[in-house]
Amino acid sequence: MLTADDAIARIKLCTETGGQVLGVDGIEIAAEGHIGRLDLVLDLSAQAITPRAAEQEAIRFVGAHSASNILFDVVTGRPEDVA
C-alpha cells in the first residue's frame, strides 16, 4: 500500500518503463483496520485506453482521493493486457 505521492510516482514509473496502469484501489485506514470502499476503485482494464491516458486518469483519481487515512494499491500490466 502506498501513500498518494508514492502511488503517483509508481504510476509515472510504470508508464515510463513501457507498462500500463490497469487500476488503482484506495484503502481507508481506520481504527477497525483496513476498509475497502467501492468509491475508491478505478478500473482501467476493461476499456481501450492508451498508456498515457491511463496514467493521467490514475493520477487524477489518486489526487482526488488523497487523504491522510487513504493508501493506494496500483495495479499495472502491459498495454496488451487492456481489452
Side-chain angles (χ1 to χ4, degrees), residues 13-42:
L13 179 63
C14 174
T15 305
E16 290 169 4
T17 58
Q20 183 162 340
V21 177
L22 302 177
V24 179
D25 298 318
I27 297 98
E28 181 179 354
I29 308 303
E32 301 83 25
H34 301 90
I35 301 170
R37 293 179 20 196
L38 293 177
D39 63 323
L40 295 178
V41 175
L42 174 65

